[in-house]
Amino acid sequence: MEPGKIKPGFCRANPAEQYSRKGCNPINATFALNRKIRIMKRLLTTLFLTALCLGLSSHPWKPSHYVIVDTDGGIDDMKTISMLLASPDVRVLAIIASPGVLPAENAYIKVRSLLNSFHHEGIPAGINRSCTFRSPSLPAALKTVWGNEENIKPETAADHKDVISDIISAEKTSISFICLGGMSTAWNSLRDIPGFGSHVRDFIWSADGPDDRAGFNYSIDKASSAGILRQELQVKIIRSFPSAGEDFYDESFLDALGSVKTVYGKKVSEFLNSEIARGHGYSYKAADEMCALFLHYPTLFITKTLGNITDCIPSDLGGSRESILTILRGETVAKNQVIKEFPYEPSFYFDDISTSVTAIIDRHGKEEWNAGVLANELHRHLGVFAIMGVKMGIRAREYFNTGVDEFSATSYAGSVPPLSCFNDGIQVSTGATPGHGLLTVVNDTNPRPEVEFKYLDRKIRIRLKPEITEKISSELREINFVYGLDSNTYWELVRQNSIKYWLSMDRHEIFEIEEIE
């Protein structure tokens, strides 16, 4: 048919006529056409609703990167892991200790002590005991303090393959496997764990380039390194930052790091200002931490891809330094849904609490402050048990190192005030709300400030210590007895107690935590 011609038997102006020309009844033809239109409308509606549901299921708090980290205990590994834990856009699912800079057992002690120091006791850690590499046990790495090493027993640590198997069976999102040492753990997992290869979207490896067969990380287990590189897997090799005769962590950058007030920034800053770091020039180079930087800001690297292997060379010194500060501050994603930035200026708040704003933030952090403000606005008054719920929810998120909306909660605080006020603090601080179907409130004969939190396939129970529960409850009973619930004095005294306990009670000291699954 010539361009622009209308197909014989069809007319643009009158749909019924199109059918009549073919010998159809115009009424039947119009009915048939209308039926097709109705079917099309239903189809479009279905597609729209499907797209809407898919959009709603992609929650804005979902991080971009789910990772398993494999470390050999190097001093740059501590900086790298701190960066990964600091970022709300990364979820560290597990950390494996493998031989390399340190023996695997020593590396495990470093890892577990670091996680405990950040109160991330719920992040699984395991050991690769199958690699036969004889670590040199470099003195600077061995002496570097990652955390309190007391009572950490590597002989009881789980095998790396058991830890990784549990993770990939529980977490359905594709993961990045970050190798900060050799490739033994990655290779063992690829061979021995069903589904591992299909679950890993890429391997991010700190090494000296794809052609350097003499590099330390390559040499830890040459057979495993060669085995991984031969596979049809996406491998991104991240190089150290070129030194060019100057330290990556120079004096001005160290000063900037000192201004980062998060626990992760403080950890890195304390190490770089320690006597051990000052005595070891390698401390001020940037090596493995380039993996964390690449995960967040790949445009800071020059990349060259050949087949499945991408060689990634860091290139922007100023941008890299500023981006590391952003990561350690936890500012890799926007945390709020309506307001751009939460107000921390004391004068923004009522006079009775304005004098405590800075002290509460300095002692307990911005996450607890933000959740406390929102919970009490939701609650419509400052309540002690609402504050305790906030503290518990933040503690649970710390334990697993999660964002909001990532675990379910079952509260045993019941539905009778004042104890039930606990539930408002829990849902605001964790995002486990009835609207998301993540909060269940149990009403039984023994209401108590106790919540079970389930994340992946693990469950913990957190309860407010009995002596603190009794102290708060007895104070509320006494104020109620003297003044009554209808008295303004009652609510004023409750408000005063709430501010007092918000500041004085440390969430790391007032709860009992028990693993139940």
Side-chain angles (χ1 to χ4, degrees):
M1 183 186 306
E2 297 180 26
K5 293 285 187 180
I6 300 174
K7 186 175 181 180
F10 282 82
C11 175
R12 289 178 177 152
N14 188 343
E17 185 180 347
Q18 295 175 11
Y19 287 87
S20 65
R21 289 182 180 178
K22 298 170 66 176
C24 299
N25 184 302
I27 295 176
N28 292 338
T30 301
F31 176 82
L33 185 63
N34 289 339
R35 183 172 180 273
K36 285 190 174 184
I37 291 173
R38 289 195 299 271
I39 293 173
M40 183 61 69
K41 284 182 177 179
R42 285 198 295 269
L43 177 60
L44 291 173
T45 300
T46 302
L47 291 173
F48 171 78
L49 291 173
T50 302
L52 179 61
C53 291
L54 289 173
L56 292 174
S57 67
S58 301
H59 199 274
W61 283 97
K62 185 178 176 67
S64 301
H65 310 283
Y66 289 75
V67 304
I68 293 176
V69 182
D70 183 36
T71 175
D72 64 357
I75 55 178
D76 48 349
D77 294 27
M78 184 272 289
K79 294 181 282 183
T80 308
I81 295 170
S82 296
M83 289 169 62
L84 293 169
L85 294 171
S87 174
D89 205 29
V90 173
R91 193 64 64 240
V92 177
L93 300 173
I95 302 179
I96 306 300
S98 301
V101 170
L102 296 178
E105 290 74 14
N106 294 105
Y108 174 83
I109 292 172
K110 301 293 183 188
V111 166
R112 193 69 267 169
S113 68
L114 182 71
L115 294 175
N116 292 348
S117 74
F118 292 144
H119 302 286
H120 299 331
E121 304 94 335
I123 296 180
I127 292 183
N128 178 352
R129 299 182 177 91
S130 62
C131 182
T132 59
F133 179 75
R134 295 179 63 86
S135 301
S137 295
L138 300 176
L142 198 58
K143 294 177 182 178
T144 297
V145 177
W146 293 29
N148 186 347
E149 298 182 359
E150 293 182 12
N151 301 319
I152 297 178
K153 300 177 180 180
E155 62 271 17
T156 64
D159 182 78
H160 66 295
K161 285 185 280 191
D162 292 335
V163 172
I164 294 172
S165 294
D166 289 344
I167 291 299
I168 66 171
S169 65
E171 178 55 68
K172 303 309 178 186
T173 306
S174 295
I175 65 171
S176 292
F177 197 92
I178 301 178
C179 305
L180 305 179
M183 295 294 267
S184 172
T185 297
W187 182 241
N188 290 347
S189 302
L190 187 64
R191 291 184 307 170
D192 301 334
I193 299 177
F196 176 79
S198 59
H199 207 75
V200 176
R201 68 181 182 187
D202 56 10
F203 292 86
I204 297 175
W205 186 26
S206 178
D208 301 316
D211 300 321
D212 186 3
R213 301 297 189 264
F216 182 80
N217 285 353
Y218 187 96
S219 300
I220 290 173
D221 189 335
K222 292 184 177 181
S224 294
S225 300
I228 288 289
L229 295 177
R230 281 197 304 266
Q231 305 303 308
E232 293 182 1
L233 303 166
Q234 293 300 314
V235 181
K236 296 166 183 175
I237 299 179
I238 317 299
R239 300 197 190 206
S240 304
F241 200 97
S243 62
E246 63 175 316
D247 288 335
F248 183 87
Y249 297 93
D250 62 7
E251 288 301 322
S252 62
F253 189 34
L254 291 178
D255 289 343
L257 279 170
S259 68
V260 178
K261 301 304 182 182
T262 64
V263 292
Y264 313 100
K266 290 178 180 178
K267 178 73 70 174
V268 173
S269 183
E270 286 171 2
F271 164 69
L272 291 169
N273 287 288
S274 68
E275 189 174 328
I276 291 175
R278 287 194 295 270
H280 195 282
Y282 183 73
S283 303
Y284 301 99
K285 307 299 180 185
D288 287 356
E289 57 263 53
M290 291 295 100
C291 290
L293 186 65
F294 176 83
L295 195 70
H296 290 88
Y297 305 108
T299 57
L300 294 172
F301 293 73
I302 298 172
T303 59
K304 301 176 182 178
T305 301
L306 182 62
N308 63 305
I309 299 173
T310 302
D311 188 11
C312 307
I313 305 169
S315 62
D316 184 341
L317 179 59
S320 296
R321 286 171 172 166
E322 185 57 41
S323 296
I324 285 177
L325 295 175
T326 299
I327 293 170
L328 289 172
R329 286 194 295 256
E331 297 175 351
T332 51
V333 294
K335 296 183 179 181
N336 301 323
Q337 301 301 308
V338 178
I339 57 176
K340 291 182 179 179
E341 190 172 342
F342 219 88
Y344 302 113
E345 173 58 44
S347 63
F348 183 85
Y349 299 93
F350 286 115
D351 291 344
D352 61 342
I353 196 171
S354 64
T355 56
S356 301
V357 171
T358 301
I360 292 173
I361 292 172
D362 287 347
R363 183 171 187 192
H364 306 304
K366 291 181 178 179
E367 289 279 355
E368 183 176 309
W369 173 257
N370 296 354
V373 171
L374 294 175
N376 283 292
E377 289 297 336
L378 168 72
H379 199 56
R380 303 312 298 162
H381 72 87
L382 264 80
V384 183
F385 277 119
I387 290 294
M388 294 302 106
V390 165
K391 288 179 179 288
M392 180 183 286
I394 297 295
R395 184 67 183 95
R397 284 177 50 199
E398 273 183 327
Y399 186 90
F400 292 120
N401 191 36
T402 67
V404 296
D405 300 355
E406 294 193 57
F407 49 60
S408 61
T410 301
S411 170
Y412 293 88
S415 301
V416 179
L419 190 56
S420 60
C421 303
F422 202 81
N423 300 324
D424 286 351
I426 290 294
Q427 60 180 321
V428 171
S429 58
T430 66
T433 68
H436 287 151
L438 297 175
L439 176 64
T440 301
V441 176
V442 175
N443 287 283
D444 59 21
T445 57
N446 180 31
R448 54 201 181 276
E450 176 182 305
V451 181
E452 291 178 0
F453 299 94
K454 185 175 183 181
Y455 175 62
L456 298 181
D457 286 337
R458 290 169 290 147
K459 187 185 289 186
I460 60 172
R461 179 184 295 116
I462 306 182
R463 64 176 67 88
L464 189 63
K465 289 182 177 179
E467 61 270 25
I468 296 174
T469 303
E470 179 54 33
K471 178 180 176 63
I472 294 172
S473 298
S474 63
E475 288 179 348
L476 291 174
R477 285 195 299 268
E478 182 178 352
I479 297 171
N480 183 25
F481 178 78
V482 174
Y483 298 102
L485 290 174
D486 293 331
S487 166
N488 288 335
T489 304
Y490 172 88
W491 295 107
E492 180 59 31
L493 292 174
V494 168
R495 183 180 177 91
Q496 291 178 15
N497 274 354
S498 300
I499 297 171
K500 177 182 68 175
Y501 288 136
W502 194 351
L503 174 59
S504 64
M505 289 194 173
D506 188 333
R507 64 179 179 269
H508 306 116
E509 299 173 356
I510 62 177
F511 298 114
E512 298 172 347
I513 302 178
E514 176 189 4
E515 292 188 13
I516 53 179
E517 281 188 16

